[in-house]
Amino acid sequence: QYKGGSIPTPRLPRTTATAAGSFKAPHVPKSASTTPEERASFGALLDAGFIDGFAHFRPSLRGAFTYWSVRARNRGPNRGLRLDYAVASKSLVEG
């Protein structure tokens, strides 16, 4: 039971694992909407052995975004960011 303090780190199986959701951290070198720390944290997830499933299975697809600025009217010209990811352990993707 959680009684305050730090949230315990979940223990994931060593063989396979997946995570999906809105990570709010585009994996790009620079983005006006995120901090270097946010981008680095997602990079650390990939460095830990996870693979961006969408990029892995659709490597040539460009312009597939999950967020567009409404204020800047970016949906029409398709200027956006990918903030939602499905990542999986290398062992799961590579079989």
Side-chain angles (χ1 to χ4, degrees):
Q1 182 177 356
Y2 178 70
K3 296 185 188 248
S6 63
I7 298 173
T9 303
R11 298 194 184 272
L12 299 174
R14 292 184 183 263
T15 54
T16 60
T18 61
S22 184
F23 286 88
K24 301 277 190 276
H27 189 63
V28 294
K30 187 174 183 180
S31 173
S33 62
T34 60
T35 66
E37 293 81 11
E38 289 169 326
R39 292 188 302 276
S41 67
F42 189 73
L45 184 66
L46 298 178
D47 291 343
F50 284 87
I51 293 175
D52 175 356
F54 183 82
H56 178 79
F57 290 107
R58 303 279 189 219
S60 63
L61 189 60
R62 301 287 181 246
F65 304 117
T66 61
Y67 169 80
W68 300 264
S69 171
V70 174
R71 183 178 49 175
R73 297 184 178 144
N74 284 341
R75 183 102 189 220
N78 200 31
R79 289 186 304 245
L81 297 169
R82 265 188 70 220
L83 300 180
D84 303 292
Y85 291 87
V87 295
S89 58
K90 285 182 184 179
S91 60
L92 183 64
V93 173
E94 295 172 353

